[in-house]
């Protein structure tokens, strides 16, 4: 049985995220403005995202998104494009707003490229729902994404697909050694959707 798809988004180093989070807090971002900011931004998902999310939702296959970004923004993006289905779970850095709706900090421990595994393990209660499932497709764009499915029990097989977007010459060999499939500069989910079409 197919247990789920794990999606991992762009990451930066810890100091950059801490600095960025502090700058956001200093700006006094208001919760009610978040939807408009996302709507007016140029944030896009990879081409083919509708088919990807909709197909997995139709089959009730869990989609876990681990991100070192800001979970509130990510959830708003996937909500606005109509793919934040009930089978989607986001593990990320979520904003903490005061009683007036002003950003006062972030909830929990900062999730960054080097501790995503810990974030995954904190979601182990969610993974418990997958006891009877055993196959995973893991999508990542950093070497730190490779162990995000470690919290899933009874895993028989994991297909690891890496999206290599930056420092290609420097990173290609490491990616080839670590991922089962490496997509260089790929902006679409065409291959992933083709795989899903074959196995579902």
């Amino acid at each position: 049985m197919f247990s789920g798809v794990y999606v991992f988004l762009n990451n930066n180093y810890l100091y950059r995220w801490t600095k960025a989070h502090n700058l956001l807090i200093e700006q006094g971002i208001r919760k009610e403005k978040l939807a408009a900011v996302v709507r007016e931004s140029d944030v896009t998902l990879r081409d083919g995202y509708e088919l990807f999310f909709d197909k997995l939702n139709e089959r009730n296959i869990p989609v876990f998104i681990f991100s070192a970004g800001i979970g509130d923004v990510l959830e708003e993006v996937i909500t606005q494009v109509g793919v934040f289905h009930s089978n989607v779970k986001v593990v990320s850095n979520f904003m903490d707003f005061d009683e007036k709706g002003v950003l006062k900090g972030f909830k929990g421990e900062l999730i960054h490229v080097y501790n995503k595994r810990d974030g995954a393990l904190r979601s182990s209660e969610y993974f418990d729902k997958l006891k009877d499932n055993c196959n995973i497709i893991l999508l990542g764009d950093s070497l730190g994404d490779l162990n995000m499915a470690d919290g899933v029990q009874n895993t028989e097989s994991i297909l690891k697909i890496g999206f290599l977007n930056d420092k290609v010459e420097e990173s290609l060999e490491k990616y080839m050694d670590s991922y089962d499939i490496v997509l260089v500069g790929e902006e679409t989910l065409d291959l992933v959707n083709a795989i899903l079409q074959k196995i579902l």
Side-chain angles (χ1 to χ4, degrees):
M1 181 181 234
F2 185 68
S3 67
V5 176
Y6 297 74
V7 181
F8 308 96
L9 304 177
N10 291 335
N11 305 295
N12 271 314
Y13 298 106
L14 174 61
Y15 71 90
R16 287 186 178 177
W17 283 119
T18 302
K19 183 177 179 181
H21 285 190
N22 289 337
L23 288 172
L24 289 170
I25 294 165
E26 289 173 17
Q27 296 303 309
I29 293 179
R30 302 192 62 81
K31 186 175 187 172
E32 77 266 4
K33 302 273 186 191
L34 194 57
V37 169
V38 169
R39 196 170 18 263
E40 294 168 11
S41 76
D42 60 358
V43 173
T44 59
L45 299 176
R46 293 181 188 276
D47 288 344
Y49 72 87
E50 301 101 331
L51 178 61
F52 174 81
F53 281 98
D54 291 346
K55 173 69 96 176
L56 295 169
N57 184 51
E58 285 171 18
R59 296 294 186 106
N60 199 30
I61 296 170
V63 177
F64 295 94
I65 302 175
F66 292 91
S67 174
I70 300 174
D72 308 76
V73 173
L74 178 54
E75 286 185 353
E76 186 61 37
V77 168
I78 60 179
T79 295
Q80 287 187 18
V81 298
V83 295
F84 195 5
H85 303 303
S86 61
N87 66 321
V88 176
K89 167 78 172 166
V90 176
V91 177
S92 188
N93 299 299
F94 283 90
M95 297 176 169
D96 190 14
F97 296 95
D98 66 18
E99 64 282 347
K100 295 179 182 176
V102 177
L103 179 64
K104 66 177 185 177
F106 286 82
K107 300 174 185 174
E109 182 184 343
L110 178 68
I111 295 175
H112 54 82
V113 68
Y114 296 112
N115 74 349
K116 279 186 174 182
R117 181 179 184 278
D118 298 336
L121 294 176
R122 281 196 299 272
S123 297
S124 59
E125 72 283 351
Y126 198 78
F127 290 152
D128 287 344
K129 298 176 184 177
L130 305 176
K131 284 185 239 177
D132 300 328
N133 300 310
C134 54
N135 299 302
I136 295 170
I137 297 177
L138 184 149
L139 309 178
D141 67 0
S142 79
L143 295 173
D145 294 336
L146 288 161
N147 59 1
M148 286 300 92
D150 288 354
V152 180
Q153 301 294 314
N154 303 321
T155 301
E156 283 186 16
S157 59
I158 301 176
L159 175 61
K160 297 177 181 180
I161 302 174
F163 291 85
L164 178 54
N165 304 312
D166 300 311
K167 301 179 183 174
V168 173
E169 288 182 27
E170 175 183 321
S171 304
L172 184 58
E173 186 175 339
K174 290 177 187 170
Y175 270 65
M176 295 293 287
D177 289 342
S178 303
Y179 283 99
D180 301 309
I181 298 171
V182 177
L183 302 172
V184 178
E186 179 61 46
E187 298 296 324
T188 75
L189 290 171
D190 291 348
L191 176 71
V192 177
N193 285 332
I195 292 169
L196 292 176
Q197 193 70 29
K198 285 284 189 191
I199 64 176
L200 296 179

